[in-house]
Amino acid sequence: LPYVPQVPPMALLGKVTATTFALERPRCVFDGHADASDAVWLAVAFANASATFRNPQCRAEVPPYQQLLAARSYMTLETAAAAYSCSAASPAVLRVGGDTACRDQHRQDPCNGPLPSPGPYRVKFLLMGCRGPKAETRWSEPILLRTALSPSTIEAAPARPGSALVVIASILASLGAALAAAVLGALG
């Protein structure tokens, strides 16, 4: 299919981070090619590995997230093809690498885990039917993740509103407890 996946051009909070990026949702791309039982997958590959990526012929051949560093590609975001139709009411963007629980799981299920390096990565959408691939988009241009320029630019613990109030409340609670102990000691 002539569609090329891309990072949305609009200003978007967290559009590209150190471990994730956002993609435009490919609406109306698979209409006319998809059946109700089909699924759309997102193939993610290191840019230099996209030429050697082979479409899986069945779900059992889908490269899982855990093989990214060795196989240099994986597949994620399995979604019913109907979610990409022109009539589907769905978010305008997809988050790639947004599931932090993938790192801790030792399962072989497809997972949308954080990307391990700045990349660059290339992605494509693949329409899979019960007998294998039916259609695919073109590969995206290389997507490079953001990295901090220096450790001082990383905010280790963002300040939360009201944190000073919590400190003051805990000090006052400690003083109240000490006062109560002194009163009980004097009475006893």
Side-chain angles (χ1 to χ4, degrees):
L1 301 173
Y3 179 82
V4 177
Q6 62 182 358
V7 173
M10 65 196 156
L12 181 68
L13 185 63
K15 180 166 63 174
V16 178
T17 71
T19 59
T20 68
F21 60 89
L23 282 178
E24 287 183 342
R25 181 176 288 272
R27 295 192 63 210
C28 307
V29 172
F30 303 105
D31 289 359
H33 300 280
D35 295 325
S37 61
D38 294 344
V40 175
W41 289 80
L42 178 71
V44 179
F46 283 105
N48 60 358
S50 59
T52 59
F53 180 86
R54 298 291 170 247
N55 291 338
Q57 296 303 305
C58 63
R59 194 176 197 286
E61 293 178 9
V62 168
Y65 167 74
Q66 290 79 2
Q67 290 182 358
L68 175 60
L69 291 176
R72 307 196 50 81
S73 63
Y74 76 106
M75 289 176 64
T76 186
L77 299 178
E78 178 185 19
T79 309
Y84 296 104
S85 71
C86 293
S87 60
S90 55
V93 296
L94 302 169
R95 171 71 55 195
V96 180
D99 188 357
T100 57
C102 295
R103 289 181 177 166
D104 302 329
Q105 297 170 347
H106 298 292
R107 60 182 191 175
Q108 291 299 311
D109 294 343
C111 196
N112 185 26
L115 300 167
S117 74
Y121 297 95
R122 294 180 79 191
V123 297
K124 72 175 179 178
F125 290 95
L126 180 64
L127 177 66
M128 295 276 288
C130 57
R131 292 193 176 106
K134 294 175 75 174
E136 64 186 292
T137 66
R138 298 178 189 266
W139 285 102
S140 69
E141 293 298 318
I143 300 168
L144 189 62
L145 301 183
R146 293 202 174 161
T147 55
L149 299 176
S150 71
S152 64
T153 63
I154 300 172
E155 188 176 340
R160 295 185 322 211
S163 60
L165 185 61
V166 172
V167 171
I168 293 170
S170 64
I171 291 171
L172 290 175
S174 299
L175 289 174
L179 183 61
V183 168
L184 287 176
L187 292 175

